[in-house]
Amino acid sequence: MKKRRILLIGAGGWGAVHLAVYCAHRRWSLSGVADLNPRVLRRVQRETRLGQNQCFSDPIAAIDRGDYDAIGLTAPNPGRIPVLVRALGTGAPVFAEKPLVHTLADLKNLYRAISRSGSVLMVSQNYRFEPQTRRMAEFIRKRRDWGPLRTVLIDFTRNIRDFDDHPVTRLPASFGLNSEQCIHHYDLMRYLLGVNPLRVRARSRRAPDSPMAGWDTIDAWIDFPESTFVNYHASYYTPITRTPWGGRWTLDFLKGSMTWYPYDSDEHRIEFNSPPPRFRIQPSLRSPGRYYNSFLVGTSFEEFTRALDEGRSPECNLRDNAQSLALMWAVERAARTGRPVEFPQFLAKVLDSCP
Ligand SMILES: NC(=O)c1ccc[n+]([C@@H]2O[C@H](COP(=O)([O-])OP(=O)(O)OC[C@H]3O[C@@H](n4cnc5c(N)ncnc54)[C@H](O)[C@@H]3O)[C@@H](O)[C@H]2O)c1
């Protein structure tokens, strides 16, 4: 079978994970890489069979050359926007890292580019593609033997000093913690419950001695339909890293309770606080260890590939991701104003920008 060719834009940091996934894929080959950093391009040339004429320091030149069937984009916000607009303008399918955008104005720009070109866009919200997460969503949504989910207590706490001097520490206001990290958890909440929230209340903080330029801590209280309450605490400024990247989720159902650690690269753990349900959720699923990141990017890239094969819109397309972004902005609005945000009305305004 003829392989599809993909151009990767942004190959440092997390882009190196995408590079590994694309290079190892049986159905794809890497046709080029663009990165602003010449050291990254030299590393790519050493690690791949790409020639110098396939490595670009100018992402727009790489896009305009047109030697690809799809574009993978991991260049970070906010600088990614002109590149993403150009990529979507070509009509080629685009597989982009989260968070898709930081602002509603940028979302509108992307929407305009897509509506002119008809391009397919998928955002790699990889946390939701973990096999155990897929089973958990089925358990929650179909109300298997434990009945409806009543309360979710999410604790996400990492010490920012563990990743000192990462650009995320320099992002102002809500753009660091809320946009770059909490978007994973907001997307997971929507995915697991299969519905959007009704109301959002929140508060945020930047401690006077914080190493973060923007918010270091967020608390949010998010009401979902049918009296399901989510209590969310996220902090980048704690003395120790206490939870994995997915956080620690305590799920209280009508008839049972469990504590779950999604997106944990060491071990896929579930602790049952009451006798386990009959429905199997694989508390002992083995993690692929140091290959965990490429395993997970691989699972969301697989959905992108399948959607192209089947000629359908992928999961985490623009419309779906706009709803997770809306939850991110609702938390921002609620924390900034101190007032609750009625989510359905708030979401309607966001979706008006990308009907
Ligand atoms: N899904 C996940 O679990 C996950 C994990 C980490 C990062 N990310 C996301 O991946 C993206 C990249 O994060 P990172 O940690 O790799 O950042 P990074 O700063 O470590 O690396 C970004 C790379 O992109 C290059 N770059 C920057 N602007 C560019 C541009 N306009 N054109 C071409 N190249 C450009 C830089 O030179 C660098 O090599 C972000 O959107 C981040 O949120 C996702």
Side-chain angles (χ1 to χ4, degrees), residues 4-8 22 28-33 50-51 53-56 62 65-70:
R4 287 196 174 99
R5 292 160 312 139
I6 189 161
L7 166 70
L8 173 62
Y22 304 164
W28 289 87
S29 69
L30 190 67
S31 67
V33 167
L50 291 187
N53 63 343
Q54 293 168 293
C55 293
F56 299 83
R65 194 160 106 171
D67 181 27
Y68 47 79
D69 302 305

Side-chain angles (χ1 to χ4, degrees), residues 249-287:
W249 296 49
T250 300
L251 305 163
D252 288 332
F253 295 77
L254 182 64
K255 294 186 230 161
S257 168
M258 64 170 100
T259 303
W260 172 45
Y261 299 82
Y263 204 82
D264 185 345
S265 49
D266 301 326
E267 193 191 350
H268 294 225
R269 236 175 337 139
I270 296 179
E271 294 151 8
F272 292 108
N273 311 320
S274 53
R278 288 189 302 276
F279 182 80
R280 239 183 102 57
I281 320 176
Q282 296 178 310
S284 60
L285 198 72
R286 283 203 6 231
S287 159

Side-chain angles (χ1 to χ4, degrees), residues 333-354:
R333 162 88 59 95
R336 190 169 39 76
T337 63
R339 287 198 295 275
V341 171
E342 303 304 323
F343 192 74
Q345 291 88 323
F346 186 83
L347 176 63
K349 286 195 184 137
V350 170
L351 293 183
D352 274 353
S353 329
C354 47

Side-chain angles (χ1 to χ4, degrees), residues 107-127:
L107 184 67
K108 288 182 185 169
N109 281 335
L110 300 193
Y111 173 68
R112 274 194 289 274
I114 287 189
S115 49
R116 279 195 292 265
S117 70
S119 185
V120 169
L121 170 70
M122 175 172 169
V123 184
S124 181
Q125 295 285 175
N126 48 318
Y127 286 26

Side-chain angles (χ1 to χ4, degrees), residues 105-165:
D106 286 340
L107 184 67
K108 288 182 185 169
N109 281 335
L110 300 193
Y111 173 68
R112 274 194 289 274
I114 287 189
S115 49
R116 279 195 292 265
S117 70
S119 185
V120 169
L121 170 70
M122 175 172 169
V123 184
S124 181
Q125 295 285 175
N126 48 318
Y127 286 26
R128 65 154 80 181
F129 290 96
E130 187 177 62
Q132 195 185 49
T133 305
R134 308 303 275 189
R135 291 282 281 172
M136 189 67 85
E138 194 186 337
F139 182 68
I140 293 171
R141 292 186 195 186
K142 294 196 175 155
R143 302 176 171 211
R144 293 303 180 113
D145 29 329
W146 275 359
L149 180 60
R150 287 286 179 243
T151 308
V152 186
L153 187 61
I154 305 169
D155 182 27
F156 168 78
T157 40
R158 314 275 304 182
N159 183 353
I160 191 73
R161 297 192 199 284
D162 291 350
F163 46 110
D164 233 9
D165 207 34

Side-chain angles (χ1 to χ4, degrees), residues 157-232:
T157 40
R158 314 275 304 182
N159 183 353
I160 191 73
R161 297 192 199 284
D162 291 350
F163 46 110
D164 233 9
D165 207 34
H166 190 277
V168 79
T169 60
R170 297 192 287 279
L171 291 170
S174 66
F175 298 129
L177 177 59
N178 195 43
S179 299
E180 290 290 322
Q181 182 58 31
C182 301
I183 184 68
H184 280 301
H185 307 136
Y186 302 142
D187 185 69
L188 260 192
M189 290 173 203
R190 290 188 50 251
Y191 170 69
L192 287 167
L193 276 84
V195 284
N196 279 320
L198 296 174
R199 182 171 301 113
V200 177
R201 282 159 292 166
R203 70 175 178 216
S204 64
R205 183 196 71 192
R206 181 193 170 276
D209 51 353
S210 178
M212 298 277 296
W215 299 354
D216 58 51
T217 300
I218 297 167
D219 288 287
W221 299 271
I222 305 173
D223 302 352
F224 280 83
E226 299 188 60
S227 302
T228 302
F229 291 168
V230 174
N231 301 292
Y232 179 58

Side-chain angles (χ1 to χ4, degrees), residues 12-14 35-36 59 74-76 80 97-99 126 166 180 184:
W14 196 248
D35 197 292
L36 301 181
T74 76
R80 68 161 54 175
E97 260 308 327
K98 50 55 62 178
N126 48 318
H166 190 277
E180 290 290 322
H184 280 301

